[in-house]
Amino acid sequence: MPSPEPDGRIRVLVVDDHPIWRHGAARDLAEAGYEVVGTAGDGAQALRVAAATRPQVVLLDLHLPDLSGAEVTRQLLAASPSVRVLMLSASGERQDVLDAVTAGASGYLIKSAQLAELVAAVRATAAGEAVFTPGLAGLVLGEYRR
């Protein structure tokens, strides 16, 4: 896994095609003590920035204009298997969640999550924990039990 900053801060890349949301999440995570190593507005840019900055966690929107978040996840993990992806989406649809997890995402949060939940989820994701918006964990477990 890419190592944290010398001061112990977790390195995060924020990817979302909506500039206000992208910059807001980056600002909020930086204020919470994370090292935001970059931001990206589409999948291709996310892959380039991740290769250059080696984040520990990629906070990734599911729906991007060029590539799906699931495809970006697959490519990120192929290039750097130790990176952790925390998917973030307005969608809580079963297939969207399963696509993200199948691609290798470590977790999935709905964009309506509170800031404290997001901050905690990024930390837990960096530590290797699976993080899901309440209700979605049961969906994933139920699917894999079948």
Side-chain angles (χ1 to χ4, degrees):
M1 174 190 308
S3 59
E5 288 295 298
D7 61 6
R9 292 189 299 164
I10 296 166
R11 298 169 53 85
V12 181
L13 170 62
V14 178
V15 182
D16 195 288
D17 58 326
H18 294 96
I20 291 174
W21 202 97
R22 179 174 66 243
H23 296 304
R27 179 199 63 235
D28 291 343
L29 289 172
E31 288 175 359
Y34 293 96
E35 177 69 20
V36 177
V37 296
T39 63
D42 62 44
Q45 183 182 26
L47 295 168
R48 286 191 307 274
V49 173
T53 62
R54 298 178 39 89
Q56 291 170 271
V57 176
V58 177
L59 183 62
L60 179 63
D61 187 12
L62 182 64
H63 298 290
L64 298 169
D66 58 345
L67 299 169
S68 72
E71 180 57 30
V72 173
T73 299
R74 280 190 279 280
Q75 291 187 37
L76 284 168
L77 292 171
S80 180
S82 62
V83 72
R84 308 262 188 228
V85 176
L86 177 58
M87 197 66 68
L88 194 63
S89 180
S91 171
E93 293 297 316
R94 176 184 170 278
Q95 195 58 53
D96 287 340
V97 176
L98 295 177
D99 288 349
V101 172
T102 301
S106 299
Y108 194 106
L109 282 183
I110 300 296
K111 283 187 174 178
S112 61
Q114 297 295 313
L115 178 57
E117 291 174 277
L118 175 62
V119 168
V122 171
R123 186 166 318 289
T125 300
E129 298 175 30
V131 178
F132 291 90
T133 294
L136 297 183
L139 181 153
V140 173
L141 287 173
E143 188 66 25
Y144 283 101
R145 285 185 182 140
R146 288 198 304 162

